[in-house]
Amino acid sequence: MKSHLLLAASLLLLPLAAQKRASVGEQMPDATFPTFLNGDGRQTLADFFGQPVVIDRWGTH
Amino acid sequence: MPSAIKLNHELADKGLVSILVEVQGSDEANLRAFMAQRFPDCDAFVCTSAFVPIPASNGIPNGAVVGVDGKLLWSGNPASSAGKIEELVQAELVKVKKGWGDTAEARKFRATLYGKGDFAGAAALLAALPEGAERTTLQAELDKRYGLAKKQVEALRERGAVVEAQAAAKDLLKAVGSSQWTAEVQPIVAEFDSEPVKAEISLQRKLDKIVKQVREKKADAAPKALRALLKGGAEGKVAHRAELLLQALETTPK
């Protein structure tokens, strides 16, 4: 029973662990983007290593 | 977002990557319609909602600048920080040109690989390095960059950008020069000389003329022109791209 509870708690915490955020000056954790409308096969942040990247989170509404 | 699009126009050909992430729940079709009608000349990477691992923010717009080495350089409201963002990007573009790293060898290697896009030159520099952690790291960067360059040709063809795919294939052949990759890249370039691909390129030339009108916000005649393009039963990836554009122009974005 106890082990089941531990497992359940671990599974609940998994998304939090996966969503690590960087602070300024730190290495960015990798992130996978959904299919780009006009992509060229690069789909993760790590794929753009070697180029400066500007990210803009915006809304259509 | 307009400031991000403007900066991308100015600096994309020098190496800037701009990623626009819509975070208010648009699906792909709605986003495509929105971009085609409101920002038709946008060349940045655009996608639907995604987790971006930058400091949390409740408001939008919200963004970040990531350096050439994958470090977070800035995070905040891009609408009020256009000057700061451009300054950071310009400094990173200098690094792309001059290379970066702890040793002169690493800087020279990265200037060759990322600044000049010269795979053969980077491989030659790597071969001269002694075995060790630095060589292993740089080898992994070279392998990844080469793999992505090959994947780019395939991905561009897949989304109906055959002309751009051909250009990418030719660039890759130039980048590998006479090296261990030449025999692998030559057939990729040769594929574009086949009759079916030539037909796709010809269709794309017609589509590009319509896209140009849309980009210049002269889209009124575009739906009719797209229907005419598709009328002959055109098939394939370019035709699919034309269908998507037609759909985007005729959908009212939410």
Side-chain angles (χ1 to χ4, degrees):
Chain A
M1 181 66 184
K2 200 174 176 181
S3 60
H4 283 121
L5 284 172
L6 275 172
L7 179 66
S10 311
L11 288 173
L12 283 172
L13 288 172
L14 256 180
L16 293 176
Q19 294 202 331
K20 187 178 176 300
R21 294 172 185 271
S23 298
V24 171
E26 287 181 354
Q27 198 71 29
M28 288 280 283
D30 202 8
T32 302
F33 297 97
T35 306
F36 290 116
L37 298 188
N38 42 1
D40 65 359
R42 291 181 289 181
Q43 212 60 54
T44 71
L45 199 52
D47 287 345
F48 297 102
F49 182 89
Q51 290 178 270
V53 178
V54 170
I55 301 172
D56 193 323
R57 297 172 70 251
W58 63 287
T60 47
H61 301 309
Chain B
M1 194 175 73
S3 60
I5 294 174
K6 183 173 173 280
L7 189 65
N8 195 65
H9 277 152
E10 289 167 7
L11 298 176
D13 62 343
K14 291 183 179 161
L16 169 65
V17 170
S18 300
I19 300 176
L20 311 181
V21 182
E22 203 282 342
V23 296
Q24 289 184 319
S26 269
D27 61 22
E28 196 176 309
N30 187 60
L31 188 56
R32 198 178 290 280
F34 185 90
M35 295 306 294
Q37 293 176 38
R38 294 282 299 277
F39 299 104
D41 61 342
C42 173
D43 294 317
F45 291 86
V46 180
C47 68
T48 54
S49 193
F51 172 73
V52 181
I54 58 176
S57 168
N58 293 326
I60 53 169
N62 161 249
V65 178
V66 182
V68 292
D69 55 359
K71 282 185 183 156
L72 180 63
L73 299 178
W74 173 88
S75 169
N77 181 344
S80 56
S81 309
K84 173 75 178 168
I85 292 171
E86 180 165 359
E87 188 185 310
L88 287 167
V89 168
Q90 292 284 12
E92 291 302 296
L93 290 173
V94 171
K95 284 191 198 169
V96 175
K97 211 171 172 181
K98 294 187 173 177
W100 70 96
D102 294 335
T103 65
E105 288 77 12
R107 290 191 287 276
K108 194 171 179 188
F109 169 86
R110 288 186 174 124
T112 305
L113 180 59
Y114 301 104
K116 295 179 185 166
D118 178 359
F119 290 91
L125 290 168
L126 205 55
L129 279 181
E131 295 285 346
E134 181 174 65
R135 181 168 164 168
T136 304
T137 301
L138 298 178
Q139 180 70 59
E141 287 181 29
L142 178 57
D143 292 344
K144 175 149 191 174
R145 194 78 172 182
Y146 173 69
L148 284 168
K150 266 202 317 176
K151 191 176 165 188
Q152 183 182 34
V153 177
E154 195 183 324
L156 288 169
R157 269 186 76 174
E158 188 60 29
R159 78 165 173 90
V162 190
V163 172
E164 292 79 2
Q166 184 179 33
K170 285 180 179 173
D171 284 349
L172 180 56
L173 186 61
K174 193 178 166 195
V176 299
S178 296
S179 64
Q180 72 266 35
W181 298 295
T182 314
E184 194 174 55
V185 178
Q186 277 171 336
I188 296 173
V189 176
E191 276 179 39
F192 290 89
D193 291 328
S194 71
E195 290 308 317
V197 182
K198 278 184 183 172
E200 287 267 289
I201 289 172
S202 171
L203 187 65
Q204 193 190 328
R205 300 275 184 215
K206 292 174 188 164
L207 174 60
D208 283 349
K209 286 181 186 167
I210 304 170
V211 170
K212 186 170 180 278
Q213 290 173 354
V214 174
R215 286 175 67 92
E216 291 169 353
K217 299 197 173 177
K218 296 172 191 163
D220 292 352
K224 191 178 171 189
L226 286 164
R227 277 197 200 87
L229 187 80
L230 293 163
K231 199 177 176 183
E235 290 177 352
K237 305 295 183 189
V238 177
H240 180 61
R241 193 174 144 210
E243 283 166 5
L244 285 175
L245 178 59
L246 180 58
Q247 193 181 26
L249 292 172
E250 293 189 328
T251 300
T252 305
K254 291 171 200 158

